[in-house]
Amino acid sequence: MPVTSPYAARLAEIPVERREVQVLGATTAYWVYGEAAEDAPTIVAVHGFRGEHHGLEPIVAYLPGIRIISPDLPGFGETPPIPDREHDLGLFTGWLCEFARAVAPGAIILGHSFGSIVSAAAVAGGLETPRLILINPIGAPALEGPKGVLTRIAVLYYALGARLPERWGTALLRHPLTVRAMSMAMAKTRDRALRRFIHDQHDTYFSRFADREVLHDAFVTSASHDVRAFAGVIDVPTLLIAAQRDDITPIEAERRLAMMFPQAELVEIAEVGHLIHYETPAEAAGAIRRFLRLPAALVR
């Protein structure tokens, strides 16, 4: 039975258009939400690992009046891999820089989870932006998080998926039970309808990676880097939206991360984990509006 999004009504009021652009010699699919008003800011929003643009739509739903450009990362969703390239941090960072300069030069950059690493690395490397927004930022090595044992299991899981015969390895990586286990581990809400929506989102979109090689490259990248390496050289105002129950980066590490930026503001959201974009999008959007000094939206 189809699961209705609790944010569908709000999102339906925001116009959206699918577009394509050539980046690094390949096609990038992206979606433009909202009207391009002269006085409205533009945000380029970068999704997390194994996700695609749909994952950030609940936050988009609470940001009417803001133009949001949301691409699928190379090798995920409707964007194919970059040919003959390892999909490491250098690839994703170079892709984001070229994409942003091509479709929205000078836009605000937003990254969620793995997208926070890519976004921070790009801005530290010279991508011009007036402000940076990081949601569920990866502020410490995943192996040092409160569930480091689970991360080590994930390392073995992705390594096995890459080494098995292709058919078996891909089937393991896309197995519905594995996807559901990941979803259950991340969801913190006790709202049954919202949990069903979250699980349906992961069931629908979490396996839309191009192939196991791209997925393995991206996982290694996500597990090998964190935002701390770039914080000190990011000289634009930065907003960190962190979860107090995040199992990937504990809130204490997020507080330390905020101190590493020359100009950073930390907003903590209680009773949520690594799925701020699904569980508390209104709170995240409110923090973004305050950070951008925009009037509050009507929340219903």
Side-chain angles (χ1 to χ4, degrees):
M1 178 181 297
V3 177
T4 302
S5 166
Y7 314 112
R10 296 185 63 91
L11 191 64
E13 297 179 359
I14 299 175
V16 58
E17 180 182 353
R18 184 191 184 280
R19 300 180 185 176
E20 294 183 351
V21 65
Q22 291 295 301
V23 180
L24 300 183
T27 300
T28 289
Y30 68 101
W31 286 257
V32 180
Y33 299 86
E35 303 289 349
E38 289 186 5
D39 58 345
T42 295
I43 295 175
V44 171
V46 185
H47 64 77
F49 176 67
R50 284 193 75 149
E52 42 117 278
H53 73 281
H54 284 100
L56 295 175
E57 285 189 335
I59 293 177
V60 172
Y62 284 94
L63 291 174
I66 298 177
R67 185 170 180 254
I68 298 178
I69 297 174
S70 187
D72 283 348
L73 284 162
F76 295 88
E78 296 184 30
T79 298
I82 306 299
D84 304 317
R85 291 284 301 273
E86 180 181 356
H87 285 61
D88 57 10
L89 185 58
L91 179 283
F92 287 114
T93 300
W95 165 85
L96 177 57
C97 289
E98 185 171 321
F99 173 81
R101 290 164 182 158
V103 305
I108 296 160
I109 303 298
L110 178 153
H112 171 258
S113 188
F114 175 57
S116 74
I117 301 173
V118 176
S119 298
V123 173
L127 175 59
E128 293 186 5
T129 181
R131 290 173 182 263
L132 175 64
I133 300 168
L134 305 179
I135 302 174
N136 286 124
I138 306 300
L143 291 173
E144 296 178 9
K147 292 194 175 181
V149 172
L150 292 181
T151 302
R152 288 177 173 83
I153 293 173
V155 170
L156 296 174
Y157 164 73
Y158 285 105
L160 182 60
R163 292 173 184 171
L164 285 171
E166 183 173 0
R167 180 180 177 183
W168 294 355
T170 301
L172 173 66
L173 294 168
R174 288 196 168 112
H175 199 285
L177 291 180
T178 306
V179 171
R180 179 56 60 90
M182 294 178 189
S183 188
M184 292 176 66
M186 290 188 288
K188 302 300 182 185
T189 181
R190 296 182 180 179
D191 184 314
R192 292 184 178 180
L194 183 54
R195 288 184 72 89
R196 284 196 298 272
F197 168 69
I198 291 169
H199 296 332
D200 181 70
Q201 287 282 291
H202 288 142
D203 290 348
T204 303
Y205 301 117
F206 223 47
S207 294
R208 294 187 68 196
F209 53 87
D211 56 55
R212 62 180 184 164
E213 288 77 16
V214 166
L215 185 65
H216 183 260
D217 286 352
F219 174 75
V220 170
T221 299
S222 69
S224 303
H225 301 275
D226 61 77
V227 175
R228 296 178 307 169
F230 314 105
V233 297
I234 293 176
D235 59 359
V236 300
T238 300
L239 172 65
L240 309 180
I241 304 176
Q244 292 185 350
R245 297 180 62 193
D246 197 329
D247 292 324
I248 294 179
T249 300
I251 194 62
E252 294 80 7
E254 301 286 34
R255 293 166 183 161
R256 291 191 294 270
L257 174 65
M259 299 297 292
M260 298 177 185
F261 286 86
Q263 306 177 66
E265 172 186 343
L266 173 65
V267 172
E268 299 181 17
I269 302 181
E271 300 305 318
V272 67
H274 203 65
L275 302 180
I276 284 175
H277 57 311
Y278 283 139
E279 297 189 30
T280 56
E283 291 86 342
I288 291 169
R289 285 189 172 277
R290 292 189 295 273
F291 179 62
L292 301 180
R293 297 181 176 85
L294 297 174
L298 177 62
V299 178
R300 61 182 183 278

